[in-house]
Amino acid sequence: MNKKALIVVTNNNRLGNSGVTGWFMSEVSHVYFPLKDEHFQVEFASPKGGNAPLDPASLTLDDPENKCFELEFEVENSLPTKPLYEINPQDYQVVFFAGGHGTMWDFPDNEDIQRITREIYENGGIVGAVCHGPAALVNVKLSNGKYLVEGKEVNSFTDSEEREVGKHDVVPFLLESKLRERGAKFVAGKNWENKVVVSERLITGQNPQSATGVGEAIVDKYNEMYLGSDEGVFLDPGL
């Protein structure tokens, strides 16, 4: 079976009117390598496609995964991506939404994000997100009309962390609060500590420190769901 995963990053490099942002490097690299090591074909997409801007503050090459990612993709400023409107959800078993403050503006209302997320999840696939990446999930509804996050344990960058970095008055909404409004059972860890939450086939992490754990949890959930994955024998779409 050809295992495919889609990593989605933001196109937005403006932090409201207060500075520069983009996608956060370790929240991509620390998920990419667990997927690659598990022999997933990984593709990158963004709402508009093209060269998606990297948050320059996240270009920390003393991080081994970041260094390897930069060497592989040469992403000192941006990452080449497919536009989401070209994405066929039937082709992927995993969709992952990376963070970075930019996501708070271009993820929540994107209809392609909602379409892709709903179809991959309802096809029995895995949906993952970390830090501000769960901004992609706040308006996703399933075919039954319920929000994807409703009744599920979920995590994201917390309101407390947002206040600690001084962006609570800059972002268009507080992500933890919005997820709670959508019916999620929010499970917060301590500020800046690794916290990963797995609820059915929805896997979310709290902050950059959680990215590796999210990548590993995606791989573990995939392997749990599939028997003899080389043959593509599906175990239980209800997990």
Side-chain angles (χ1 to χ4, degrees):
M1 181 179 181
N2 185 23
K3 300 188 293 187
K4 292 185 71 175
L6 185 69
I7 293 180
V8 183
V9 298
T10 182
N11 287 115
N12 176 40
N13 71 343
R14 300 306 306 170
L15 188 58
N17 295 318
S18 66
V20 175
T21 185
W23 55 272
F24 203 86
M25 192 171 193
S26 66
E27 295 172 20
V28 175
S29 67
H30 284 239
V31 174
Y32 170 75
F33 285 109
L35 291 169
K36 181 181 179 182
D37 291 346
E38 194 63 21
H39 308 295
F40 275 87
Q41 178 184 340
V42 181
E43 296 180 354
F44 300 97
S46 62
K48 295 178 181 178
N51 289 321
L54 171 68
D55 183 336
S58 73
L59 184 61
T60 51
L61 298 182
D62 55 344
D63 176 311
E65 283 82 2
N66 281 359
K67 180 63 174 178
C68 290
F69 192 81
E70 197 280 330
L71 288 172
E72 185 168 345
F73 294 101
E74 299 181 352
V75 293
E76 285 199 12
N77 297 303
S78 62
L79 177 69
T81 61
K82 293 183 175 182
L84 287 177
Y85 65 81
E86 291 184 355
I87 297 299
N88 180 0
Q90 301 288 333
D91 294 338
Y92 304 90
Q93 293 83 45
V94 173
V95 59
F96 167 75
F97 297 98
H101 273 92
T103 64
M104 296 290 286
W105 282 266
D106 68 349
F107 274 15
D109 297 318
N110 186 275
E111 293 182 357
D112 287 311
I113 282 178
Q114 295 168 32
R115 169 184 63 87
I116 291 164
T117 305
R118 179 180 61 253
E119 291 189 28
I120 288 178
Y121 192 81
E122 292 186 339
N123 287 341
I126 297 167
V127 175
V130 72
C131 200
H132 290 90
L137 308 178
V138 298
N139 290 322
V140 175
K141 288 186 176 181
L142 301 175
S143 296
N144 62 11
K146 293 183 178 181
Y147 286 107
L148 169 64
V149 299
E150 182 178 339
K152 295 184 178 68
E153 293 186 343
V154 173
N155 191 284
S156 75
F157 202 64
T158 64
D159 293 358
S160 175
E161 287 169 321
E162 200 70 85
R163 292 188 179 95
E164 190 171 325
V165 299
K167 301 294 193 299
H168 58 288
D169 290 330
V170 176
V171 292
F173 58 89
L174 291 175
L175 186 49
E176 173 187 342
S177 293
K178 182 66 72 174
L179 289 165
R180 290 183 185 275
E181 288 176 19
R182 298 304 194 224
K185 298 176 181 178
F186 198 89
V187 183
K190 294 180 181 179
N191 285 11
W192 313 113
E193 290 190 0
N194 174 24
K195 181 68 176 180
V196 177
V197 176
V198 179
S199 188
E200 299 178 4
R201 287 172 287 107
L202 179 61
I203 299 171
T204 47
Q206 182 165 318
N207 45 39
Q209 291 82 351
S210 309
T212 296
V214 170
E216 292 173 347
I218 289 171
V219 168
D220 289 345
K221 175 58 71 174
Y222 181 89
N223 289 334
E224 175 187 332
M225 289 165 52
Y226 281 82
L227 292 173
S229 59
D230 289 342
E231 292 77 30
V233 180
F234 195 58
L235 176 59
D236 186 355
L239 285 170

